Amino acid sequence: MSAQRPAAALGADAVADVVRAEYGRVIAGLIRRYGDIGLAEDALGEAIVIALERWPQEGVPPNPAGWLTTTASRKALDHLRREKVRDEKYAEATMLTDDTPPEPTGPVTDDRLRLIFTCCHPALAEPARVALTLRLLGGLTVAEIASAFLIPETTMAQRITRAKAKIAKAGIPYRIPERADLAERLDGVLAVLYLVYNEGYLSSTADNADRQDLADEAIRLTRAVRLIADEIGSPPEVDGLLALMLLSQARRPARIAADGSLVTLDDQGRTNWDSHLIDEGHAIVRECLRRNAPGPYQLQAAIQAVHTDALDVSLTDWRQIVALYDQLMHVRPSPVVALNRAVALAELDGPQVALAIVDGLELTAYAPWHATRADLLRRLGRTNDARRAYAAAIATTENPAERAWLASRRKTLG
């Protein structure tokens, strides 16, 4: 039997790959040009449909992202022509063939970063900012974003629609805020970048174990924000977030096994970790320690620094990690932080103490909660309870690597 795939399937795969990698950049460019999120989304959607029709027949163009941008721009122009009342925007849109650079829009020229700052306008609630950014920057579907937020798809769709309508109604301009506004939006931007990175680190979709493109982009944008933040005194939380991402990213080469299953921290081959990222992350953490103004991102980075400092899991300083989680619970308490603290505490005080904490948390829709319970129950010899907990964890996650790891763990129980 031939292993070759039909040209149509290859063309569709190429479209999917380009959309996954370039959606954020293309949509950000369209929004910058037209200043209308809805118009940009509609136009890009039409361009993707055309690509699905043509690329399988005509082949993938040399510059697929440029092709999508050009085709979407033409579709946007068509929309504007049909809407004659939008004469002014139409005139701006004719700049498609104008080679002169756009007017300066702020301290940075990055389209995607401006998009994040727009989405992080104070007029929008934080959940709406994050959802809208994941939709526009990451190209995630509404269903995928709803899964990440543990809420129904219809609720997420309404949230995104309301956010876009509010941007349009309030006339929120698509530009980075003035220098005086940076501090006001910085916390929101960091929260968005943190969640974008998390989605890249462990995807909530069933198609990918991780989204390396999103993780890389979150790191790149955080570096860009760090340069901007220098102008307002470089808040240490920006450094903390960057260090957290770098130290997490350093372990990526060892996180996924050859069979596609997740490899937990205990079982990762530490020689496969990226030593350059670890060195950079540790240097930033040391700088944060010198400032002595700990915030949630700095504390999480410090926890990652302790993990990546241990040459072997048996050498991990669990007492220091628990102490850092205690601080984190003080500055930003949450059930997820409590769960992670309990995992560390199990290494000091045993699984029974940790299980009592975990059972008191209301995280039944959260796969790591079930997985943690399963592991603690297994260590306590409660095999049947552990088996049921693993089944619940598998049912709560779509991530293929996580599901494969959980299934293998359940299998060891017989």
Side-chain angles (χ1 to χ4, degrees):
M1 180 180 293
S2 171
Q4 290 186 336
R5 302 186 63 203
L10 291 174
D13 288 347
V15 175
D17 289 343
V18 172
V19 169
R20 187 179 300 112
E22 301 288 348
Y23 188 94
R25 187 166 68 85
V26 174
I27 197 75
L30 292 169
I31 294 172
R32 173 179 58 79
R33 180 172 294 279
Y34 298 105
D36 186 325
I37 293 175
L39 175 65
E41 282 191 302
D42 290 345
L44 182 52
E46 291 181 49
I48 292 170
V49 170
I50 296 172
L52 286 168
E53 293 171 350
R54 292 187 181 175
W55 292 8
Q57 304 299 325
E58 302 172 4
V60 179
N63 180 359
W67 187 96
L68 280 178
T69 300
T70 301
T71 304
S73 292
R74 288 173 178 153
K75 289 297 175 184
L77 282 172
D78 290 342
H79 282 287
L80 293 176
R81 287 192 185 100
R82 288 195 294 268
E83 298 177 27
K84 295 181 180 178
V85 295
R86 305 177 72 171
D87 288 342
E88 183 177 346
K89 287 190 176 181
Y90 174 76
E92 295 174 359
T94 56
M95 292 177 63
L96 177 66
T97 57
D98 188 345
D99 294 330
T100 57
E103 293 183 1
T105 52
V108 296
T109 58
D110 189 286
D111 281 344
R112 295 196 204 188
L113 193 55
R114 280 201 300 275
L115 184 56
I116 293 177
F117 271 99
T118 297
C119 293
C120 289
H121 192 281
L124 300 178
E126 182 171 310
R129 299 173 191 170
V130 177
L132 191 57
T133 306
L134 288 175
R135 176 77 187 96
L136 297 176
L137 188 69
L140 272 66
T141 66
V142 174
E144 291 167 347
I145 301 171
S147 174
F149 276 76
L150 306 177
I151 63 174
E153 183 177 345
T154 52
T155 303
M156 180 52 69
Q158 292 168 354
R159 181 179 294 177
I160 293 174
T161 299
R162 284 197 297 269
K164 288 191 288 190
K166 196 160 189 174
I167 286 177
K169 185 177 180 180
I172 295 172
Y174 174 63
R175 62 168 173 75
I176 203 165
E178 300 298 331
R179 193 158 299 166
D181 301 324
L182 289 175
E184 182 184 30
R185 299 193 189 184
L186 194 57
D187 285 349
V189 170
L190 296 184
V192 166
L193 291 174
Y194 174 74
L195 289 176
V196 169
Y197 179 79
N198 283 347
E199 180 61 26
Y201 183 78
L202 190 66
S203 173
S204 60
T205 71
D207 297 331
N208 301 289
D210 60 7
R211 287 280 308 271
Q212 184 59 27
D213 56 327
L214 279 184
D216 288 343
E217 186 64 0
I219 291 173
R220 185 185 73 82
L221 290 171
T222 303
R223 290 187 189 278
V225 171
R226 196 182 186 205
L227 293 176
I228 298 173
D230 282 342
E231 299 184 13
I232 55 173
S234 189
E237 279 297 271
V238 181
D239 291 344
L241 179 58
L242 180 59
L244 172 60
M245 291 180 179
L246 295 175
L247 293 173
S248 301
Q249 193 70 357
R251 294 192 280 105
R252 183 176 184 271
R255 287 184 59 242
I256 308 295
D259 65 358
S261 63
L262 191 69
V263 181
T264 58
L265 180 62
D266 293 356
D267 296 325
Q268 290 174 11
R270 302 191 173 212
T271 57
N272 293 328
W273 289 354
D274 189 321
S275 60
H276 297 293
L277 292 181
I278 290 175
D279 289 345
E280 183 180 2
H282 282 188
I284 298 174
V285 169
R286 286 194 294 271
E287 178 62 30
C288 290
L289 290 173
R290 280 193 288 271
R291 293 178 179 175
N292 194 27
Y297 298 125
Q298 294 175 77
L299 290 168
Q300 291 178 76
I303 291 168
Q304 291 299 323
V306 176
H307 279 302
T308 51
D309 198 39
L311 298 177
D312 182 87
V313 65
S314 64
L315 301 176
T316 304
D317 187 346
W318 291 108
R319 196 168 300 283
Q320 187 176 3
I321 289 177
V322 170
L324 289 166
Y325 273 121
D326 287 342
Q327 282 188 272
L328 189 56
M329 282 295 291
H330 178 70
V331 300
R332 185 171 289 180
S334 78
V336 171
V337 173
L339 176 66
N340 292 329
R341 178 183 176 276
V343 171
L345 197 62
E347 303 300 324
L348 291 180
D349 297 338
Q352 188 66 56
V353 172
L355 183 62
I357 297 172
V358 171
D359 280 346
L361 302 174
E362 295 184 2
L363 286 170
T364 55
Y366 189 52
W369 181 80
H370 291 288
T372 300
R373 284 196 77 245
D375 182 62
L376 296 173
L377 291 165
R378 177 189 61 79
R379 292 164 64 178
L380 290 168
R382 294 168 56 179
T383 304
N384 289 335
D385 290 337
R387 193 180 293 113
R388 283 191 289 272
Y390 277 123
I394 293 170
T396 319
T397 180
E398 295 290 331
N399 186 280
E402 201 171 21
R403 289 175 66 89
W405 176 75
L406 291 166
S408 68
R409 298 291 286 179
R410 184 177 61 173
K411 191 175 180 179
T412 63
L413 298 175

